[in-house]
């Protein structure tokens, strides 16, 4: 275990020659250590900047993409698309593990040490609030990568991920249960809520947490836990602060762009250039769009020969963690589950009016008005597929819903993820298990 925790520390400290990361030398003889709010803001900026690009990788496991076998980097990603988590080829890119705990290391430094050394001020409060919020976000992402989907009946027995809240290289990091991880997420969110000062963040610093992004995060957490009343309440609170929608009939800007009127928090690189370069849109995804009336199609995809490349990602301009359209979707789903079908339809139609041509919207509105709750719920999930394509949402939507069967064809061979397959929960990375016998 000491080997594993030291490995994390070394990974973090290896950044110490770059910019403000010199502040995190845990053996600070002859080094600068953080003291002031300005110092700790730099440490926090480092934590944000090193947030893992895991959502780009999970896209390869979904029904959104096909892997291009003719690209030079194909070998590094093919086994992810095969759902091969055990006995990987050495050339296969691993899902992040140490990088998550490296971010936690920064945040623990801020929370445990910065709270003592920073002079009391609004800036200190904001820094600590963001540190708690980002630590909650780390564990939320990790438990949804490596733990089973939340089920209130089994969460206290389902294996989650190790929780690390202190800077102690001798501690034994054993996995906590899914319930314990969610409890920690809520604990950190509550502390962040008590300290948060900034109502909203504007570009170019909208990668930071604020009151509205914290509410959006709470709405999403409640959605994943099927706590429909809280999901509705948090979505409404967030929308009261920021509820603008991008009208794709008058704007050609992708709604997930970090400068979009919809951007609430733009931290995650959900579809990076590496995955963009080795993939193209799947037939399943393309078939979901009405190319004549859905304005998203021309903004999200570009024809390349007989295939379509995804153009709503590939650079830091498309970083997205939360945006206003997601709040409408969360609200609509919660209302369906609370047997408030008319309100659910009204909520979702507000988004769709900004996504379809006027003629297309009229047709959609007629169809929606005739739907019963079951049909409309399926429609919501189809619209989520269309709306949030390649934004890191699909894998987690599949996990929390029907865990459908998916087929990928790679090198002429068919690979199948069966419905409710155990591989809907990603195994701990091989390097993590090698360094920690408790995993």
């Amino acid at each position: 275990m000491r080997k594993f925790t030291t490995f994390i520390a070394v990974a973090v400290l290896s950044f110490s020659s770059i910019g403000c990361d010199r502040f995190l030398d845990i053996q600070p003889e002859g080094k600068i250590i953080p003291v002031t709010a300005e110092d700790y803001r730099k440490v926090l900026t480092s934590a944000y900047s090193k947030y893992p690009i895991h959502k780009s990788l999970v896209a390869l496991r979904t029904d959104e993409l096909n892997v291009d076998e003719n690209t030079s980097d194909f070998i590094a990603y093919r086994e992810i698309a095969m759902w091969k988590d055990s006995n990987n080829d050495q050339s296969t890119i691993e899902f992040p593990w140490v990088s998550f705990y490296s971010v936690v290391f920064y945040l623990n430094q801020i929370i445990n040490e910065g709270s003592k050394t920073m002079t009391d001020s609004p800036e200190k409060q904001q820094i600590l609030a963001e540190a708690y919020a980002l630590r909650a976000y780390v564990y939320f992402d990790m438990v949804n990568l490596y733990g089973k989907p939340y089920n209130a009946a089994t969460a206290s027995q389902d294996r989650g991920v190790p929780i690390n809240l202190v800077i102690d290289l001798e501690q034994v990091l054993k996995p906590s249960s899914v319930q314990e991880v969610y409890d920690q997420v809520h604990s950190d969110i509550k502390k962040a809520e008590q300290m948060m000062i900034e109502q909203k963040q504007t570009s170019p610093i909208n990668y930071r947490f604020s009151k509205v992004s914290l509410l959006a995060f709470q709405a999403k957490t409640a959605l994943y836990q099927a706590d429909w009343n809280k999901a509705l309440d948090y979505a409404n609170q967030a929308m009261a602060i920021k509820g603008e929608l991008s009208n794709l009939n008058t704007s050609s800007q992708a709604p997930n762009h970090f400068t979009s009127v919809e951007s609430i928090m733009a931290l995650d690189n959900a579809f990076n250039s590496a995955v963009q370069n080795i993939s193209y849109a799947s037939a399943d995804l393309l078939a979901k769009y009405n190319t004549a009336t859905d304005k998203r199609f021309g903004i999200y995809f570009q024809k390349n020969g007989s295939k379509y490349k995804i153009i709503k990602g590939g650079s830091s301009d498309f970083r997205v963690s939360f945006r206003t359209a997601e709040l409408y979707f969360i609200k609509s789903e919660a209302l369906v589950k609370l047997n408030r079908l008319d309100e659910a339809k009204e909520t979702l139609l507000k988004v769709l009016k900004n996504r379809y041509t006027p003629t297309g919207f009229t047709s959609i509105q007629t169809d929606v008005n005739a739907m019963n709750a079951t049909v409309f719920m399926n429609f919501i999930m189809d619209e989520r597929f269309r709306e949030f394509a390649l934004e890191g949402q699909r894998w987690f939507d599949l996990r929390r819903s029907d865990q459908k069967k998916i087929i990928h064809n790679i090198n002429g061979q068919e690979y199948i993820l069966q419905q409710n397959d155990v591989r809907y929960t990603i195994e701990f990375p091989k390097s993590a298990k090698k360094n920690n016998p408790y995993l």
Side-chain angles (χ1 to χ4, degrees):
M1 175 49 57
R2 182 175 182 179
K3 178 181 179 183
F4 175 63
T5 51
T6 302
F7 182 40
I8 292 175
V10 170
V12 173
L13 298 180
S14 67
F15 299 127
S16 61
S17 63
I18 307 173
C20 63
D21 297 316
R22 69 188 186 279
F23 289 123
L24 286 187
D25 193 325
I26 57 172
Q27 303 229 349
E29 184 177 351
K31 299 285 184 179
I32 299 172
I33 58 174
V35 176
T36 66
E38 181 183 5
D39 293 342
Y40 278 104
R41 170 55 72 183
K42 292 177 181 178
V43 175
L44 184 55
T45 299
S46 288
Y48 280 123
S49 70
K50 300 181 192 311
Y51 203 75
I53 308 176
H54 55 293
K55 291 180 180 175
S56 294
L57 297 181
V58 294
L60 293 164
R61 300 174 75 93
T62 71
D63 51 357
E64 298 170 291
L65 295 178
N66 291 126
V67 180
D68 188 343
E69 299 160 4
N70 298 313
T71 56
S72 58
D73 291 334
F74 165 66
I75 193 171
Y77 294 95
R78 62 191 174 96
E79 290 190 338
I80 298 175
M82 297 173 184
W83 307 285
K84 186 180 179 184
D85 297 332
S86 301
N87 302 314
N88 306 93
D89 188 284
Q90 288 187 348
S91 60
T92 299
I93 290 177
E94 279 194 325
F95 276 86
W97 183 266
V98 169
S99 53
F100 274 119
Y101 286 105
S102 297
V103 172
V104 168
F105 187 96
Y106 287 92
L107 302 174
N108 288 346
Q109 176 83 3
I110 296 166
I111 291 167
N112 297 329
E113 301 302 325
S115 58
K116 302 172 187 174
T117 63
M118 283 187 282
T119 302
D120 288 343
S121 67
E123 179 64 8
K124 173 184 177 179
Q125 270 191 255
Q126 180 66 25
I127 289 168
L128 289 172
E130 290 179 46
Y132 277 115
L134 187 55
R135 190 169 72 179
Y137 196 53
V138 168
Y139 285 119
F140 176 78
D141 273 356
M142 287 195 76
V143 79
N144 281 290
L145 272 181
Y146 300 116
K148 290 182 180 180
Y150 186 86
N151 180 332
T154 63
S156 60
Q157 287 81 47
D158 292 336
R159 187 192 65 180
V161 296
I163 298 172
N164 177 19
L165 305 180
V166 297
I167 302 171
D168 179 2
L169 300 186
E170 301 300 326
Q171 68 177 315
V172 177
L173 292 178
K174 296 180 179 179
S176 299
S177 70
V178 168
Q179 184 64 58
E180 288 170 329
V181 178
Y182 269 91
D183 289 346
Q184 182 59 49
V185 168
H186 289 299
S187 174
D188 278 351
I189 286 176
K190 184 176 181 180
K191 290 173 183 173
E193 193 175 26
Q194 293 167 348
M195 298 180 182
M196 193 74 72
I197 292 173
E198 295 295 335
Q199 187 92 327
K200 296 187 283 189
Q201 302 282 8
T202 57
S203 61
I205 60 168
N206 53 335
Y207 61 85
R208 298 177 181 176
F209 267 100
S210 63
K211 287 184 178 181
V212 66
S213 57
L214 192 61
L215 287 167
F217 180 23
Q218 288 171 293
K220 187 167 194 166
T221 303
L223 178 77
Y224 279 36
Q225 291 187 275
D227 190 336
W228 308 116
N229 283 301
K230 285 186 177 179
L232 177 60
D233 180 45
Y234 288 128
N236 278 331
Q237 287 186 60
M239 290 164 68
I241 299 172
K242 186 173 176 63
E244 305 96 321
L245 289 167
S246 176
N247 186 350
L248 301 188
N249 285 292
T250 58
S251 173
S252 60
Q253 183 187 59
N256 63 310
H257 195 279
F258 84 104
T259 63
S260 167
V261 296
E262 293 195 14
S263 180
I264 293 175
M265 182 170 162
L267 174 63
D268 290 273
N269 193 344
F271 189 57
N272 69 340
S273 59
V275 176
Q276 182 189 50
N277 290 339
I278 58 98
S279 65
Y280 52 91
S282 71
D284 284 351
L285 176 59
L286 296 173
K288 289 291 183 180
Y289 294 88
N290 183 324
T291 58
T293 63
D294 194 327
K295 302 295 289 187
R296 291 170 294 198
F297 190 83
I299 294 173
Y300 289 7
F301 308 105
Q302 185 175 74
K303 194 169 179 59
N304 186 337
S306 62
K307 301 172 183 177
Y308 281 87
K309 295 294 287 186
I310 298 97
I311 57 173
K312 64 178 295 196
S315 79
S316 59
D317 287 352
F318 296 96
R319 287 180 180 267
V320 59
S321 302
F322 307 108
R323 59 182 177 94
T324 52
E326 184 179 3
L327 299 174
Y328 285 84
F329 274 87
I330 291 173
K331 179 177 179 178
S332 183
E333 184 173 341
L335 286 167
V336 173
K337 300 295 186 179
L338 294 170
N339 298 313
R340 295 161 63 178
L341 183 58
D342 289 344
E343 293 172 79
K345 291 177 179 180
E346 181 184 357
T347 300
L348 189 61
L349 286 170
K350 288 177 182 178
V351 180
L352 304 188
K353 187 175 183 179
N354 292 281
R355 298 300 185 254
Y356 289 89
T357 63
T359 301
F361 175 70
T362 299
S363 176
I364 288 284
Q365 189 175 32
T366 300
D367 291 342
V368 166
N369 287 336
M371 293 177 183
N372 62 27
T374 301
V375 174
F376 183 66
M377 188 63 236
N378 290 334
F379 179 73
I380 288 176
M381 298 310 292
D382 281 346
E383 275 295 338
R384 284 186 67 93
F385 194 11
R386 287 184 279 268
E387 177 70 22
F388 303 113
L390 286 311
E391 291 184 37
Q393 300 260 17
R394 181 61 175 170
W395 178 250
F396 304 104
D397 278 345
L398 289 169
R399 275 169 44 89
R400 70 183 182 87
S401 58
D402 62 352
Q403 297 193 10
K404 62 176 279 190
K405 177 180 178 180
I406 303 176
I407 300 173
H408 287 168
N409 287 285
I410 301 172
N411 280 337
Q413 186 171 342
E414 194 175 79
Y415 294 87
I416 300 175
L417 184 71
Q418 298 289 354
Q419 186 169 22
N420 299 319
D421 200 301
V422 293
R423 291 172 294 173
Y424 265 108
T425 298
I426 299 172
E427 288 188 25
F428 293 151
K430 184 164 57 177
S431 63
K433 290 190 285 188
K434 180 180 178 181
N435 286 287
N436 184 350
Y438 296 99
L439 298 182

